[in-house]
Amino acid sequence: MNSHQYDAIVVGSGISGGWAAKELCEKGLKTLVLERGRQVEHLKDYSTMTAAPWEMPHRNQIPLEDKKANPVVNRCYAYKEDTAHFFVKDQDHPYVQEKPFDWVRGYQVGGKSLIWARQTQRWSKYDFEGPSRDGFAVDWPIRYEDIAPWYSYVERFVGISGSYEGLDTLPDGEFLPAWEMNCVEKEIQERILKAYGDRKFIIGRCAHLTQPKDVHLQQGRGQCMARNQCYRGCPFGGYFSSNSSTIPAAAKTGNLTLRPDSVVHSLIWDEKKEKVTGVRVIDRVTKEATEYFAKVIFLNASALNTNLILLNSTSSRFPNGLGNDSGMLGKYIAFHNYRGSLSAGFEGFEDKYYFGRRPTAVMLPNFRNVHKQEMDFQRGYMSFYSAGRGGWGGTGDMNFGADFKEASAKPGPWHVFMMMQGETIPKESNFVSLSQDQKDEWGIPLLKVSVDYDENDELLLNDFLEQGEEMLSKAGCFNIRKTDSKQSPGLDIHEMGGVRMGRDPETSLLNGFNQMHLAPNVFVSDGACMTSTGTQNPSITYMALTARAVDYAVAALKRNEIG
C-alpha cells in the first residue's frame, strides 16, 4: 500500500485532467495520473504529423471495411486515415445505445485534447443565471464573477486568439492577436449588422498561438502555421493540448507519475474511515488489478466515463453509486444541438482570395432568450459561418493539357456555410446507467445511454434555420439551402452532466467548487460536472473550473478539512 500512496490521483489526462495534473504538481503534491489509453508523447508519437496524402495507403481516406466495422466513429468529422489512431474503434469499446447516440472517444495520453476543435468562448453571466431565471435544471452554485479570474488564468497559459468586442453575451478574455476574416466574410458581417443592428458577428476565439508569448515559448510551443492538420498532433505546438502543454508542465515539477494503460474500475470507499481512499485499476494489457491511494482524487475521465466510474463505485454505504443518495447520478445528461446548417452562393469578389487554412470560423453569440424569455422555446444557439472558394480544376470533362493546367490554377465561385450550436435543456429522462448483464473485457459493466432530442430542440432548430436563411438573404447570398442532418446526440462531442454542480445535495452531486457533497475529497471537473450547457464550446470552462477546484482542494488539504 505504501508504494502505491500519493498525495493526489487524477483520473484522465485530457483537457481537464491535464490541467488538474499541472495545478496539483505545481502546488507541490505528488500526483498520479491514470490514463486508460496508450502513451502518446508530444512529437514522438505524432506518426502522421507531416505526411502527404500520397504517403498514406488510402490517400487519407477511410477504407470501406473500416466504415462498415466502425459506423459510429466514421461519422466524426475528424476521423480520417491520418487521425484514426487517436480514436476509439466501435468494436474495441462497446456500449449500449438504448436510444441512438454516437459516443466519440479518444483513449490515449492527452485524450481528446489531441483531436478537439479548439474553439474557446467564455460563458456570460446569462448562461450561469439561465437555469434559475428560466426554471430548468437547478441553479448554478457559481456566477460569472466567480470563474472570470480563472478564465483569465488558463487563457494566458493556453494561448487564445481573439478580438476585443465588449459584448456582454460573450465576455472578452486574455487574447493573442485574432485571426482575420476574409473579404466576403467581412462583407456579410457588415450587411447583417446593418440589417439588424444588434447581431454582431465576430471572428472566432480559439486555442491557437497566433503570436506566442514567453509563457508559450517556455512550454516549447511555437506559432500556428494555419496548416489545418491539427488532429494529427501539431509539430509546432501551435494549438493547445495536454501533450504539448499541461502534462510537460506537470512533469517539469518532478511531482508527476503518469501511468498509461490504466483502466479505472471504481473508487474505493473505506467503510471504517467513511471516505474515499483510492482507486481500483485494471491494467489494459495484462488485466491485472491494482489499487492506488491518495488524499484527494480528481475525476476527469470525460463526461460519460466519469458517470460510469461513479455508478460502478458501489459499497454498503453507497449501493447505487458513490455519493448517490439523491438518485441524481447519471441523470440530466445534455449536449449541443448541431443538426442545422445552411449553404449558399455569393457573387462578386472574384479577384480576391485568402491566405492559409484558418482554424476558426466567424461566430455570432446567442441572441434568443438572453435577457428574458421571449420565444416559444427555452434558451438559444450560437451561429457560425465561413466563406471560401472551391472548385479548383475547372469542369470534369476538360481534356488534359494547357487548358486543364490553366483552369486548375483558378478557384471557383465563393460559397458560404453556416451552422448552429444549440443549447439543450437537461432533463431527467436523458440519462446513463450500467448494464446488468454485459461487461467489457476488463470486467466493467457496459454503459447504457438513453439520450434524445425533445420538442424544445426541434423548435430551436427550426428557428435557427429560419433566422439563418433570413440573415444570409439580407447579406446578399443566393441559392440558400437549409439542412437538418438529423444526426444522433453525441456527434457534437459535447456531452455534459450526470454529476452536476448545485447548491443542494438532494438535487446535485457537487458543490460550487466541484467537490462531491457526500465524498468531500473527490472532485469532478470534466463535462460531467456541468449543470447546463450554454451555447458556447465548453472546453475553456472545464479548464477554468479545474484550476479553481484544485486551488480550493489544496487549501482544504492544508487546513486538514479533507484527505
Side-chain angles (χ1 to χ4, degrees), residues 216-376:
H216 309 121
L217 297 175
Q218 290 168 10
Q219 297 171 40
R221 300 170 60 199
Q223 183 173 334
C224 173
M225 298 296 173
R227 301 188 315 151
N228 192 29
Q229 294 175 353
C230 312
Y231 307 118
R232 301 176 173 191
C234 181
F236 310 102
Y239 75 85
F240 171 83
S241 70
S242 295
N243 307 65
S244 66
S245 187
T246 48
I247 290 177
K252 188 177 180 180
T253 67
N255 292 323
L256 174 69
T257 300
L258 176 61
R259 192 182 193 279
D261 300 316
S262 300
V263 180
V264 173
H265 175 280
S266 56
L267 304 190
I268 301 168
W269 175 263
D270 189 302
E271 301 287 354
K272 294 181 179 179
K273 296 181 179 179
E274 296 185 332
K275 67 176 185 179
V276 171
T277 56
V279 299
R280 297 183 183 90
V281 170
I282 310 297
D283 188 280
R284 181 179 68 88
V285 180
T286 68
K287 309 299 190 296
E288 180 184 359
T290 314
E291 294 182 348
Y292 296 92
F293 305 92
K295 300 172 184 177
V296 62
I297 295 169
F298 269 73
L299 198 47
N300 301 88
S302 80
L304 298 192
N305 272 323
T306 288
N307 276 274
L308 189 160
I309 291 169
L310 289 174
L311 286 165
N312 201 41
S313 300
T314 57
S315 61
S316 58
R317 170 63 184 87
F318 295 112
N320 299 312
L322 181 66
N324 192 27
D325 287 0
S326 65
M328 293 291 104
L329 181 59
K331 297 180 180 179
Y332 297 95
I333 301 294
F335 53 96
H336 275 146
N337 185 347
Y338 271 79
R339 281 169 50 185
S341 65
L342 303 100
S343 60
F346 194 90
E347 290 185 335
F349 297 93
E350 294 183 0
D351 61 336
K352 300 288 194 302
Y353 200 67
Y354 41 89
F355 173 80
R357 303 184 182 112
R358 191 186 64 206
T360 191
V362 184
M363 62 185 188
L364 173 67
N366 176 41
F367 57 87
R368 291 303 201 202
N369 301 322
V370 175
H371 301 97
K372 63 180 181 179
Q373 181 65 40
E374 55 191 359
M375 305 300 295
D376 61 349

Side-chain angles (χ1 to χ4, degrees), residues 16-41:
S16 63
W19 263 97
K22 169 188 175 296
E23 295 298 297
L24 289 163
C25 288
E26 289 183 344
K27 292 180 185 296
L29 275 67
K30 296 296 183 182
T31 303
L32 172 67
V33 174
L34 297 169
E35 167 56 52
R36 70 174 296 154
R38 65 186 176 94
Q39 172 68 285
V40 171
E41 292 185 29

Side-chain angles (χ1 to χ4, degrees), residues 1-2 73 98 102 134 180 210 214 223 234 299 359 367 390 430 470 491:
M1 178 173 177
N2 291 335
V73 72
E98 292 194 325
D102 292 333
D134 296 344
E180 187 178 3
T210 51
D214 286 344
Q223 183 173 334
C234 181
L299 198 47
F367 57 87
N430 277 349
E470 182 180 287
L491 200 55

